[in-house]
Amino acid sequence: MKLFNMNIFGKVKNKGFTLVEVLTSALIVGLLATVLLVVLRSNLTTMSWGQKHMDFNYKIQYFMKQFYTDIKKINPHVYVHKYGHLYIKGEAGEEFFPNVVRIEKDIINNSGTELLFVLSSLKSDSEAMAIKYYYDKKSETIIREIRPADGPPRAIPVARNAKDLRFHVNENDSKSVRVTCKIFDDKRPEVFEDVDFTVRLEGDLMTVKVFE
C-alpha cells in the first residue's frame, strides 16, 4: 500500500487509508478483543468455581481434622492416689477404670448424637479437660464444647449448616468411633457432602461405649 504519490507537478500528495482498510482493521481488533474477553471471562469463572469449592472443602476438612486431633489425644485416666502418687486408672486391679468415650442421647443401633470424653493430663488430675461434641438443632451447627477442670465451659462451632450428626461404635472394635453427618455449603445450600469417617483410639485402657 502506497502512502505517497507524485502528482504531475512533482509535489508529494498524502493518501489516507481507504474505508475498506479502516473497516477491516476495526473488524480484526474487534475479533481479538472478543477472544480476549471470552478467555478472561472463562478464567474468572474458573477461579470463582475453584474458590467456592476450596472454601467448602476447607470447612469439611476443618471439622474432620479437629475431631481426629481430639480423639488421638485421649490418654488413659490419671488419678492421684491418697498418698499423693500419680497412677493410671486401671494400673492396679482394684482401681480398674478405663478412659471411656461416651456415646449418648437418641441411641439407635449403637449410635447416638452426642460424644463425650476426657483429655487427661499426665501431670495432674486437675488439668483434665472434658470435651463434648453435639449437634445444635436451632443453629444447625456441630458444636465442640470444652469443659476445663477449673473454668466455665466454652462452646465452639466446628461446622455450620450441618445435619444428621451421629456417632457410632463398632461392636467388633470398641476403640473406634465412626462419625456420619451431612455438611452443606454456606453459599450454595443445594450442595452438600455426606461425611463418613472413622477414628481409632491409640493405646490401652481406653474404650468407646454407648450409654442409653
Side-chain angles (χ1 to χ4, degrees), residues 31 37 50 56 68 80 91 106 114 175 181 202 212:
L31 290 174
L37 182 61
F56 183 42
Y68 178 89
V80 181
E91 189 174 27
D106 302 325
E114 293 185 357
K175 291 186 178 183
C181 66
E202 298 291 343
E212 300 190 22

Side-chain angles (χ1 to χ4, degrees), residues 161 163 183-193:
N161 294 327
K163 288 184 179 179
I183 295 181
F184 291 78
D185 193 331
D186 296 332
K187 299 178 180 177
R188 298 167 298 163
E190 73 280 2
V191 177
F192 68 91
E193 183 73 24

Side-chain angles (χ1 to χ4, degrees), residues 119-147:
L119 298 182
S120 59
S121 170
L122 296 177
K123 295 181 179 180
S124 171
D125 210 17
S126 63
E127 296 183 12
M129 178 174 59
I131 293 182
K132 179 181 179 181
Y133 278 86
Y134 65 94
Y135 178 70
D136 181 59
K137 293 182 179 179
K138 185 176 180 180
S139 62
E140 296 186 339
T141 301
I142 298 175
I143 302 295
R144 176 180 181 259
E145 184 180 273
I146 303 174
R147 301 177 183 179

Side-chain angles (χ1 to χ4, degrees), residues 104-108 111-113 137 166:
E104 302 176 345
K105 199 174 180 180
D106 302 325
I107 302 302
I108 301 175
S111 70
T113 57
K137 293 182 179 179
R166 295 199 72 83

